[in-house]
């Protein structure tokens, strides 16, 4: 006979394995999701949730612009009217290509521009770009346009001279190194056009909004403009879930082999219930229900432990990452998707192997033969 203590150890190992599976999956997804959420949030804070590039054939038409402004007013969205150009930034003998955003200071701007909006008579430059060029607040730089030129004997590129009124840090590498912001009127003076060529949205757009504004030009959401980054983030999440799913698979192997040993040792105990009048079908169903309930309660317990750990980590966690990381304190992001994956992935894998063990037990179970072996 198999001792009761050894049976309890097998059940305990199965419970611990399932708890750890759901616990680890929830911790992984919530912390990784938090890091990805902060990364995307910082990018959308500056790049916007979507950008509408106006129709090049119509953006100088007053009726077209008037209709667009009416739609923007009715939408109640946060947006910035701007003209985006590729220019050359010159400081002393240093020249570098930059993307210049001529923004309307009367429209919505991110919080990083609150100070400069009061007197937006110069350029707002990210710290990384300022460090690369070697400029400080108060220095004057030249913005040169290779496309828009004045003709005097030969073509002379137009240029404007602006002071650096503020240096900011967005913590978005693709923005910090190549972009700068000036007042829209400065760009209009440079190109000799009193117009704008794009609208940058900072609010989430509904399907209705997408349908309305697509009629005015090319509307690209942040996800469409950053497909490589979105794909990389999704791939990262999928790979990590796959790796921890493999861990759950190993746990399921252990549970399956442990159950086969367990069933082999308690077959006489189960036969005793048959002698007392319980049908084989009811014996099998009761055993299956017990095992599935064991899985469910173990996974729920793991989710409870994981949630408690994440709440404590979010409340009392300190900066544990090195200085090279932007987010030194690991952020935590709770979502229904994380809980569903952390529950159903180990449950599905464990259920398959438990069912295999139950089928093996059902095929090999012969109560009359078990009694004859005593």
């Amino acid at each position: 006979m198999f001792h009761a203590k050894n049976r309890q150890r097998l059940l305990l190992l199965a419970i611990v394995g399932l708890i750890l599976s759901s616990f680890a999956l929830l911790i992984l997804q919530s912390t990784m999701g938090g890091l990805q959420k902060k990364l995307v949030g910082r990018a959308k804070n500056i790049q916007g949730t979507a950008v509408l590039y106006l129709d090049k054939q119509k953006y100088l038409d007053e009726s077209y612009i008037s209709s667009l402004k009416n739609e923007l007013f009715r939408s109640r969205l946060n947006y910035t009217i701007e003209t985006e150009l590729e220019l050359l930034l010159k400081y002393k003998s240093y020249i570098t290509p930059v993307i210049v955003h001529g923004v309307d200071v009367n429209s919505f701007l991110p919080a990083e521009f609150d100070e400069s909006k009061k007197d937006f008579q110069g350029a707002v430059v990210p710290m990384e770009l300022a460090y690369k060029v070697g400029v400080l607040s108060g220095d004057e730089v030249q913005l040169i346009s290779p496309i828009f030129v004045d003709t005097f004997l030969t073509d002379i590129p137009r240029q404007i001279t602006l002071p650096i009124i503020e240096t900011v840090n967005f913590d978005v590498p693709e923005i910090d190194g190549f972009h700068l912001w000036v007042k829209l009127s400065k760009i209009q003076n440079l190109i000799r056009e009193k117009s704008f060529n794009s609208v940058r949205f900072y609010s989430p757009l509904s399907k209705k909004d997408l349908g309305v504004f697509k009629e005015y030009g090319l509307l690209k959401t942040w996800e469409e403009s950053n497909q490589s980054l979105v794909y990389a983030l999704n791939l990262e999440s999928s790979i990590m879930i796959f790796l921890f799913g493999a861990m759950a698979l190993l746990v399921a192997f252990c549970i399956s082999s442990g159950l086969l040993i367990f069933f082999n040792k308690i077959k006489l105990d189960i036969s005793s219930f048959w002698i007392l009048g319980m049908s084989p079908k009811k014996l099998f169903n009761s055993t299956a229900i017990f095992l599935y309930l064991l899985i469910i309660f173990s996974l729920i317990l793991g989710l409870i432990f994981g949630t408690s750990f994440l709440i404590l980590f979010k409340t009392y966690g300190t900066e544990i990452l090195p200085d090279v990381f932007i987010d030194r304190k690991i952020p935590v992001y709770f979502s229904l998707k994380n809980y569903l994956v952390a529950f159903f992935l180990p449950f599905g894998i464990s259920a398959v192997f438990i069912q295999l063990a139950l089928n093996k037990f059902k095929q090999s179970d012969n109560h009359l033969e078990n009694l004859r072996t005593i």
Side-chain angles (χ1 to χ4, degrees):
M1 292 292 290
F2 195 51
H3 296 294
K5 184 181 292 187
N6 292 331
R7 300 176 196 171
Q8 293 173 1
R9 286 176 182 173
L10 281 175
L11 290 175
L12 183 62
L13 286 174
I15 292 171
V16 170
L18 291 169
I19 290 174
L20 288 177
S21 297
S22 58
F23 176 86
L25 271 171
L26 181 61
I27 297 291
L28 166 76
Q29 291 183 99
S30 298
T31 53
M32 181 177 291
L35 290 169
Q36 293 182 353
K37 198 77 174 177
K38 290 290 288 291
L39 172 64
V40 173
R42 283 194 302 270
K44 286 187 176 182
N45 180 55
I46 301 302
Q47 295 176 305
T49 57
V51 180
L52 171 63
Y53 298 97
L54 304 188
D55 192 329
K56 294 181 179 180
Q57 306 298 326
K58 298 180 180 178
Y59 77 96
L60 294 176
D61 186 351
E62 291 185 5
S63 61
Y64 169 82
I65 295 299
S66 177
S67 175
L68 173 60
K69 287 183 176 180
N70 289 334
E71 291 293 349
L72 290 171
F73 178 76
R74 284 196 290 267
S75 67
R76 303 295 182 183
L77 299 171
N78 292 329
Y79 63 89
T80 299
I81 292 175
E82 68 174 48
T83 292
E84 182 179 319
L85 294 176
E86 294 183 7
L87 303 178
L88 295 175
L89 174 66
K90 181 181 180 182
Y91 177 69
K92 296 181 179 179
S93 61
Y94 188 91
I95 299 179
T96 183
V98 292
I99 297 176
V100 180
H101 301 266
V103 294
D104 182 2
V105 295
N106 295 320
S107 56
F108 177 85
L109 287 175
E112 287 82 357
F113 296 91
D114 287 346
E115 292 297 325
S116 55
K117 281 180 69 174
K118 300 173 183 177
D119 187 21
F120 210 141
Q121 298 303 319
V124 177
V125 181
M127 291 183 180
E128 185 177 333
L129 178 60
Y131 177 78
K132 181 173 68 174
V133 177
V135 297
L136 299 173
S137 294
D139 292 340
E140 289 190 343
V141 297
Q142 292 178 316
L143 294 177
I144 305 171
S145 170
I147 299 176
F148 300 94
V149 297
D150 292 319
T151 302
F152 182 76
L153 299 180
T154 184
D155 290 337
I156 302 174
R158 293 177 189 170
Q159 63 182 25
I160 54 174
T161 301
L162 296 171
I164 304 298
I165 59 175
E166 187 182 6
T167 56
V168 294
N169 188 21
F170 300 120
D171 291 326
V172 183
E174 58 269 24
I175 295 296
D176 288 340
F178 304 98
H179 293 244
L180 62 86
W181 287 258
V182 301
K183 196 174 182 179
L184 178 59
S185 59
K186 303 292 184 182
I187 297 298
Q188 290 175 341
N189 290 337
L190 178 67
I191 65 177
R192 307 289 198 270
E193 290 179 359
K194 195 175 181 180
S195 61
F196 56 93
N197 62 15
S198 62
V199 178
R200 192 174 301 272
F201 296 95
Y202 290 93
S203 300
L205 272 66
S206 64
K207 290 183 177 179
K208 180 182 177 182
D209 295 328
L210 292 173
V212 169
F213 291 114
K214 279 183 178 179
E215 298 179 359
Y216 290 91
L218 176 61
L219 182 63
K220 296 184 70 173
T221 63
W222 182 89
E223 288 76 12
E224 291 173 345
S225 300
N226 298 270
Q227 292 182 7
S228 297
L229 177 59
V230 172
Y231 175 78
L233 294 177
N234 291 335
L235 181 63
E236 180 184 41
S237 300
S238 300
I239 292 298
M240 295 305 294
I241 291 175
F242 171 78
L243 292 176
F244 276 81
M247 183 188 75
L249 183 64
L250 293 175
V251 172
F253 274 127
C254 296
I255 294 173
S256 178
S257 58
L259 285 176
L260 291 175
I261 298 172
F262 182 71
F263 289 148
N264 186 58
K265 297 298 182 180
I266 64 169
K267 58 185 179 181
L268 291 177
D269 297 333
I270 294 177
S271 297
S272 64
F273 288 102
W274 176 69
I275 293 174
L276 295 174
M278 184 176 289
S279 66
K281 182 179 180 180
K282 191 173 182 179
L283 276 172
F284 177 81
N285 291 337
S286 300
T287 305
I289 292 172
F290 168 75
L291 292 176
Y292 282 112
L293 288 176
L294 177 67
I295 296 175
I296 293 172
F297 285 121
S298 299
L299 293 176
I300 291 175
L301 193 60
L303 295 178
I304 293 173
F305 286 154
T307 303
S308 302
F309 175 83
L310 289 171
I311 292 174
L312 293 174
F313 186 76
K314 184 177 182 179
T315 306
Y316 302 105
T318 58
E319 296 181 349
I320 61 176
L321 296 177
D323 294 339
V324 295
F325 288 87
I326 296 174
D327 296 309
R328 297 189 60 194
K329 179 181 177 181
I330 299 177
V332 177
Y333 174 65
F334 295 98
S335 71
L336 179 62
K337 177 185 174 182
N338 294 346
Y339 282 90
L340 292 177
V341 172
F343 179 84
F344 284 105
L345 180 61
F347 175 81
I349 295 174
S350 301
V352 169
F353 285 91
I354 284 179
Q355 191 61 46
L356 292 175
L358 285 170
N359 292 339
K360 184 69 175 177
F361 165 71
K362 186 177 182 180
Q363 293 172 3
S364 60
D365 193 30
N366 189 322
H367 300 296
L368 187 58
E369 184 177 343
N370 291 338
L371 294 174
R372 289 173 178 172
T373 58
I374 301 176

